[in-house]
Amino acid sequence: MAAKPGAATPTYSPKLVGSSRLPIFKDSDLDWSRPDGRGFHQCRPALLQTGAVSSASGSAYAEFGNTKVIVSVFGPRESKKAMVFSDVGRLNCNVSYTTFASPTIGQGTDHKEYSSMLHKALEGVIMMETFPKTTVDVFALVLESGGSDLSVVISCASLALADAGIMMYDLITAVSVKRKDVKMEAL
Amino acid sequence: MGLQDSSQDLSTEMEVDAFRRIFPLRFFERHLSESLRPDGRQLGKARDTIVNLGLVSTADGSALAKIGSTTMLAAIRMEVMTPSTDSPDEGCIALEFHMPPICSPTVRPGRPADAAPVISKRLSDTILSSGMIDLKELCLVSGKAAWMGYLDIYCLDADGALFDAALLSAVAAFSNLQIPVVALNDNGRIVAITGGKDQDNASITEKEAVNKEKRKLTLKNIPFSLTCILHKNYILADPTTEEESIMDTLVTVVLDSSDQMVSFYKSGGSALAYSSAIKSCVELARKRAKELNQILGEMDID
């Protein structure tokens, strides 16, 4: 009766009509501060917590301002696909977004490349030879996207791996930097 | 017979964790005979339940429900649609239940979990048939514009009783929902009244807010559910994933706040549901509905 499929009925959000974004950069004023009052090289206050998901081997929750991310680590566990014997372990990463992560409905910008970027960031630091023949799965879910998503995901993932007891050379962290004209600021 | 004896002998020598993994059914039955479960709960008792509202800033209504370790995050976003010609005064609710790979070791990315579409459909049916939401309240301009509510429920941690937690989070999200104030534009489109600096004050005074009084939905007949496991002559309320994996007969009873039964669901399983078992399940569900009603009532005060 009422649960009609959304694809058949096009809908629009009333908020986007006629909204204009205020300009952040005022070129004439060199001393402007960022909208949330931070200095150029200042990061947002962070909340990092392990043990967010009880079903996972290790997990972490990170909140950097409005960016909220949960990362779960499963493993080392059996590789599902029939793999050729390998004497090093394998790493499998996946980053996904909730439908309400971005202010606009639907996917917002496409972030399919984040999974492989997370993989590249982690594969250098995990000691793969400590879990041969098995796979470690790192899954991230971005609950709310408030900017610098990939950096928060990477930092949270390394914390989740530590919580899972996977051997690593070090904990890794990440930060996004944006360059605007001459000045550099940390996001 | 021989196997039973050997496991009994081993049980005195083996570590508890090993026994739990190798002989899970015997481990549980040892506890059930003392009317207890491994986590110390009574058979008919549900786990600690927590509900938090308004966590997602990008959504119009949201809630996080935790039953024990099972965690569900529900968020509602309202968009405007053109109502269909056979129900011009009614809006619509589109519900979807997601199980992302973080929630459970059994879910793989790219392959949706087996349980997800089942729970999605059951939730959708339960919420719509309970009569909790009057779709006519979602109407803006008859025949031209109505609200479409996109309710997305994400399972963040799957530890049994997924349907119960999901239903609770959905109901809590609806109670938290704040419908944005909108007005009808000159072009016939609905626009949000943000009020203040970046909008023309003159144009606002002309447009009457279409729904100034209707900011919150009235929820009547709120459904509450309880999932139970039937095993031999035991009934276990609110199972964990471990319990669900060993004992396969699950029964879900959904009652509303006036103790009417909204739905009864049993999908196979090796135990048969005799009328005495059904009555006990309904009785347990009744108690649980009262508990949940109280928890939601405490939330609504702010």
Side-chain angles (χ1 to χ4, degrees), chain B residues 9-61:
Chain B
D9 288 337
L10 282 172
S11 69
T12 51
E13 310 163 2
M14 206 188 275
E15 260 189 6
V16 175
D17 281 336
F19 189 75
R20 187 176 192 155
R21 292 291 180 93
I22 303 176
F23 303 109
L25 197 53
R26 287 197 57 77
F27 178 79
F28 271 89
E29 284 181 346
R30 283 283 199 84
H31 287 79
L32 293 178
S33 57
E34 314 278 338
S35 296
L36 270 184
R37 291 143 92 168
D39 54 3
R41 277 192 285 159
Q42 299 279 325
L43 297 189
K45 195 153 182 348
R47 292 169 287 181
D48 290 337
T49 310
I50 303 174
V51 175
N52 273 322
L53 301 177
L55 298 166
V56 178
S57 52
T58 49
D60 297 310

Side-chain angles (χ1 to χ4, degrees), chain A residues 2 12 54-55 77 99-100 103 144, chain B residues 57-58 77 80 92 105 152 157:
Chain A
Y12 61 90
S54 65
S55 327
R77 57 180 176 177
T99 52
F100 44 82
E144 206 177 319
Chain B
S57 52
T58 49
R77 300 173 82 161
V80 182
C92 187
D152 288 293
D157 194 353

Side-chain angles (χ1 to χ4, degrees), chain B residues 77-260:
Chain B
R77 300 173 82 161
M78 304 300 278
E79 294 223 325
V80 182
M81 70 165 197
T82 324
S84 69
T85 42
D86 40 293
S87 45
D89 284 327
E90 288 184 353
C92 187
I93 307 275
L95 193 154
E96 204 175 338
F97 176 74
H98 307 257
M99 281 184 75
I102 57 162
C103 73
S104 159
T106 52
V107 181
R108 295 274 164 188
R111 266 197 87 198
D114 284 340
V118 177
I119 295 182
S120 194
K121 181 81 172 70
R122 282 171 61 195
L123 273 176
S124 182
D125 287 342
T126 305
I127 290 180
L128 294 172
S129 65
S130 67
M132 176 173 83
I133 311 259
D134 182 8
L135 292 175
K136 293 196 167 37
E137 287 194 343
L138 296 176
C139 176
L140 282 169
V141 178
S142 175
K144 294 213 177 67
W147 286 116
M148 163 83 110
Y150 288 104
L151 170 61
D152 288 293
I153 305 175
Y154 279 85
C155 179
L156 301 180
D157 194 353
D159 192 21
L162 299 181
F163 181 80
D164 297 348
L167 184 62
L168 184 60
S169 68
V171 163
F174 274 115
S175 75
N176 179 245
L177 177 64
Q178 193 88 347
I179 301 181
V181 185
V182 290
L184 190 57
N185 210 347
D186 303 323
N187 306 335
R189 273 175 83 89
I190 300 281
V191 286
I193 301 177
T194 49
K197 309 166 245 187
D198 41 300
Q199 270 198 335
D200 229 321
N201 279 327
S203 53
I204 287 189
T205 49
E206 285 166 23
K207 298 178 224 154
E208 231 353 89
V210 174
N211 60 346
K212 216 190 296 189
E213 347 52 63
K214 291 185 288 183
R215 296 299 304 284
K216 283 203 141 234
L217 295 178
T218 43
L219 304 175
K220 35 186 186 327
N221 307 335
I222 299 177
F224 296 109
S225 82
L226 178 66
T227 303
C228 303
I229 281 187
L230 301 181
H231 178 69
K232 296 189 182 164
N233 51 346
Y234 300 110
I235 298 179
L236 284 71
D238 189 25
T240 61
T241 309
E242 200 186 350
E243 291 166 353
E244 282 182 1
S245 62
I246 311 166
M247 297 171 268
D248 59 358
T249 311
L250 289 163
V251 165
T252 304
V253 180
V254 182
L255 301 175
D256 69 12
S257 28
S258 49
D259 272 353
Q260 304 274 11

